[in-house]
Amino acid sequence: MLPWKRALRPLAALLLTAVAVTVPATTAQASGAPGSGWNDYSCKPSAAHPRPVVLVHGTLGNSVDNWLGLAPYLRVRGYCVFSLDYGQVEGVPFFHGLGPVEKSAGQLKDFVDKVLAATGAAETDVVGHSQGGMMPRYYVRFLGGAAKVNALVGIAPSNHGTDLNGFTHLLPYFPGAADLLTKNTPALADQVTGSAFLAKLNAGGDTVPGVRYTVIATRYDEVVTPWRSQYLSGPDVRNVLLQDLCPLDLSEHVAVGLLDRVAFHEVANALDPGRAEPTTCASAFE
């Protein structure tokens, strides 16, 4: 394959995603978490873990598949854990997180209210992967979430967008491509570096007072690039590079949210900093 053809593959994949959602899908929709103990609305937070944890999936994810690793990991450690589906697009019953990010933040707002009402807690902690680590910042900043979120943990979050290793810069050379993304998969367009949505989200600073922020990134991220764009600036921010904790960790964008127990250990530390233990390569076996 010629080098220029190889270079266009990620851009082609991005465009194919936008086209694919116009085709009716027949996949069964994930209606809730499996019988693992999460999304249990009878769960009452303990004194040790007084806040329920809301998990927010990434683009093309859903409330089940994105959390088959982390949800049980937190549940067995005594947390009340909940996850939602958001950003649904008509005709696409399984792959979510594609709708406008602002609208998705409204769905998160409603879900947090539901969780707080069921558990009796005053605040929640939010953990999100990819778009799910960025989108809650809109809820916190613009939709009253600062009063209801104690900690926001982003795993490979698209906080300042992505250039997809530079390939989004090629969009102007494909007439209609940007419009196709905006029309069919608004969340993809919203997450492109320099988008109007990101300009609004990050205007005036990355953080909101009263919320603790943690970003967990991997240097091998091939989706949210450059990976340093995931980091936040401001008070009450902790930016973590997994390879600083475990040089042997080779997780890329998907794996870090789905199955990386080194990352999971750092999530647990962020949720309960008073009982935090050093995260190392050995954390993968805990």
Side-chain angles (χ1 to χ4, degrees):
M1 180 180 292
L2 294 176
W4 67 269
K5 289 185 178 180
R6 187 182 304 114
L8 289 178
R9 282 188 300 182
L11 180 61
L14 187 66
L15 298 179
L16 284 173
T17 299
V19 174
V21 298
T22 67
V23 179
T26 59
T27 308
Q29 182 172 2
S31 58
S36 59
W38 91 84
N39 276 351
D40 175 6
Y41 285 89
S42 67
C43 185
K44 299 300 180 184
S46 65
H49 303 302
R51 292 175 297 276
V53 178
V54 171
L55 304 178
V56 188
H57 65 75
T59 307
L60 295 172
N62 61 63
S63 62
V64 177
D65 290 353
N66 210 142
W67 304 118
L68 290 172
L70 182 59
Y73 182 95
L74 294 176
R75 189 69 186 93
V76 77
R77 285 161 175 76
Y79 289 92
C80 292
V81 181
F82 301 86
S83 60
L84 77 156
D85 288 310
Y86 71 88
Q88 297 89 336
V89 170
E90 185 176 359
V92 185
F94 186 74
F95 300 103
H96 303 317
L98 294 169
V101 179
E102 290 186 18
K103 182 177 179 180
S104 294
Q107 292 178 274
L108 175 60
K109 175 183 183 296
D110 293 341
F111 188 78
V112 168
D113 287 345
K114 178 181 177 181
V115 168
L116 293 180
T119 60
E123 290 184 307
T124 186
D125 291 326
V126 176
V127 180
H129 178 216
S130 193
Q131 180 190 167
M134 173 274 293
M135 177 268 280
R137 293 179 51 226
Y138 190 94
Y139 162 55
V140 166
R141 181 178 290 274
F142 297 108
L143 302 180
K148 300 177 181 180
V149 175
N150 169 71
L152 172 56
V153 183
I155 306 172
S158 51
N159 280 322
H160 297 98
T162 177
D163 66 4
L164 210 63
N165 283 306
F167 291 107
T168 60
H169 300 308
L170 298 176
L171 285 172
Y173 298 99
F174 292 82
D179 291 339
L180 183 64
L181 285 179
T182 300
K183 178 180 179 181
N184 294 322
T185 56
L188 294 181
D190 284 345
Q191 292 176 89
V192 172
T193 302
S195 72
F197 169 80
L198 288 170
K200 177 180 178 180
L201 175 65
N202 294 313
D206 291 345
T207 63
V208 172
V211 179
R212 291 189 293 106
Y213 297 84
T214 301
V215 172
I216 302 171
T218 171
R219 69 168 68 253
Y220 302 113
D221 200 312
E222 79 289 14
V223 175
V224 180
T225 58
W227 63 263
R228 288 182 180 84
S229 69
Q230 300 171 23
Y231 282 179
L232 295 173
S233 298
D236 292 324
V237 170
R238 183 167 186 261
N239 294 312
V240 179
L241 179 64
L242 278 178
Q243 286 72 35
D244 287 342
L245 306 176
C246 175
L248 300 178
D249 194 320
L250 302 179
S251 291
E252 42 66 67
H253 183 79
V254 175
V256 71
L258 267 60
L259 48 83
D260 190 330
R261 292 175 69 88
V262 176
F264 295 173
H265 188 274
E266 196 59 20
V267 169
N269 281 346
L271 295 177
D272 192 358
R275 297 182 178 88
E277 298 180 356
T279 300
T280 68
C281 293
S283 300
F285 305 100
E286 295 180 2

